[in-house]
Structures are given as structure tokens and as C-alpha cells.
Amino acid sequence: MARHLDSKCRKCRHLGFSVCGRERCALTRRDTPPGMHPNLNRKMTDYRMRLLEKQKVRFSYWVSEAQLRCYMKRALSGKGSTGENLLQLLERRLDVVVYRLGFAPTLPAARQLVVHGHIRVNGKKVDRPAYLVRHGDLMAVKEPSSKMPLVQEGLAKSAARRDLPYLSVDREKVEGRFLSAPSREQIPLDVSESLVVEYYRRYI
């Protein structure tokens, strides 16, 4: 995907929704949009509301617009709720699973671990963040890399939060298993996926 060179917290302030994954997000200190003179009285139209929800999903998973459209097309062809299908596909991305398991403090850090070849899936190196994990797959940080400060920071941060029911984690071995596709209630993302589906129905 395209690189995001600007401040991630700038996106948080623009969306009014934390997508950086940091504990000291700029949104907690200043909840106004970025810029010297932000327009605080801007009208919330139906289109803008759907666009903001779509952007929340896109930047929560840090995928490109083209990638999100591909996931949307695949979700439309599946059975059941399209919005839930979309979020399930995004939750199956390898970088997202590595982050949810707690092997990295943020999603961009998890993507870095994957791209640099530190992650093994069922004993084999996979360096594609968009790789879709399947039921029963075992993800592990390779032995020398498990001592990296980035991994240790992620493990310490994840130990304080509740484990997700669709994942099984062994923090001592620094490995985890993807048990099943998560239900909507199990996905820790506060967005309205139905508005995202409504946004894309105009273009797909």
C-alpha cells in the first residue's frame, strides 16, 4: 500500500477517532480537527457521515483505498451480513492478527515485523501483511526476534488487556493460534459498518 508519511495522530484528529494505536494519542489532548482555523460548524451531510465511517475503517487497518475496495467486493460476494464479512476479512490479515495477539504495540509495528520476516505461519516465513490467516493457523515470532524491544513492548502492553476469544495466545513461547472467524461483537472496533457498505454501493 501507499506509505503514510504524515503524522498518524493527524488522522486521528481529522476523523475524531483514534487510529494510531498509541496510548498518548494527540486526540486525547486536542479533540479539534488539525489546522490553524478548523471549521467546527461544518454541516454533517449523509455523504460525509458515510465517508467518515469508511475512512475510520480504512485507517484503523491502515489499508489503501484500492485494497479496501477489493475487500468490499469480496465481502459482497459472501453469505450473511456484508459489513460483518468485510470486518472479518480485515481481521484475518496477518499484520492485524499479529497486532491482536500482542506481538507488537501498534498495527504499523506489526506490519513492520511481518515485512521484515520475523513472523512464521505454521513454521514457514510469511512476509506479506495482506496474507489472510485461516482457521487453525499458528503464528509465531521466530526465536531470535522474540527478544526484540518492539516485541517485548507489545507483549507487555497486551498483558494488561483482555484476550480476544477468537485467538489463543502463549506469551512465553510468543506464539498464537487463529481459532475461528470473529463475530461482530468480538471485533474491537467502534464503527458502523453498515454505513461503509452504503458508501460503496454507489461505486461497486
Side-chain angles (χ1 to χ4, degrees), residues 21-85:
R22 300 168 180 163
E23 293 181 357
R24 298 183 61 188
C25 178
L27 189 63
T28 61
R29 301 191 300 274
R30 181 178 294 180
D31 58 359
T32 57
M36 185 175 293
H37 302 292
N39 184 5
L40 301 179
N41 298 319
R42 185 177 178 182
K43 184 179 178 180
M44 179 62 75
T45 62
D46 289 343
Y47 173 79
R48 183 166 179 249
M49 182 169 57
R50 296 186 183 102
L51 176 63
L52 284 175
E53 289 301 308
K54 187 269 293 184
Q55 293 292 75
K56 286 179 184 179
V57 171
R58 181 188 162 196
F59 288 105
S60 292
Y61 294 97
W62 292 100
V63 295
S64 68
E65 181 64 28
Q67 285 176 309
L68 189 56
R69 285 188 182 227
C70 288
Y71 287 124
M72 189 67 211
K73 289 179 181 178
R74 187 165 176 177
L76 283 167
S77 64
K79 297 180 180 179
S81 169
T82 302
E84 186 171 347
N85 291 343

Side-chain angles (χ1 to χ4, degrees), residues 54-158:
K54 187 269 293 184
Q55 293 292 75
K56 286 179 184 179
V57 171
R58 181 188 162 196
F59 288 105
S60 292
Y61 294 97
W62 292 100
V63 295
S64 68
E65 181 64 28
Q67 285 176 309
L68 189 56
R69 285 188 182 227
C70 288
Y71 287 124
M72 189 67 211
K73 289 179 181 178
R74 187 165 176 177
L76 283 167
S77 64
K79 297 180 180 179
S81 169
T82 302
E84 186 171 347
N85 291 343
L86 173 65
L87 294 182
Q88 286 178 345
L89 284 170
L90 291 166
E91 286 291 322
R92 286 175 55 199
R93 285 175 55 96
L94 180 57
D95 56 348
V96 176
V97 174
V98 169
Y99 170 62
R100 299 290 192 217
L101 287 171
F103 300 160
T106 64
L107 182 54
R111 179 166 301 174
Q112 184 181 25
L113 286 178
V114 174
V115 171
H116 290 182
H118 299 293
I119 304 299
R120 299 289 184 267
V121 179
N122 299 325
K124 298 180 180 180
K125 184 178 79 171
V126 179
D127 56 5
R128 291 188 297 111
Y131 175 85
L132 292 182
V133 175
R134 300 177 181 177
H135 302 178
D137 280 353
L138 180 69
M139 279 63 61
V141 180
K142 67 180 184 180
E143 183 62 31
S145 306
S146 61
K147 306 300 181 183
M148 292 172 57
L150 188 69
V151 176
Q152 293 300 314
E153 180 185 351
L155 291 172
K157 185 178 178 181
S158 66

Side-chain angles (χ1 to χ4, degrees), residues 173-192:
K173 295 182 179 179
V174 198
E175 65 181 29
R177 192 176 296 276
F178 186 80
L179 301 178
S180 63
S183 65
R184 178 62 187 96
E185 294 75 20
Q186 295 172 339
I187 298 175
L189 186 64
D190 185 17
V191 297
S192 176

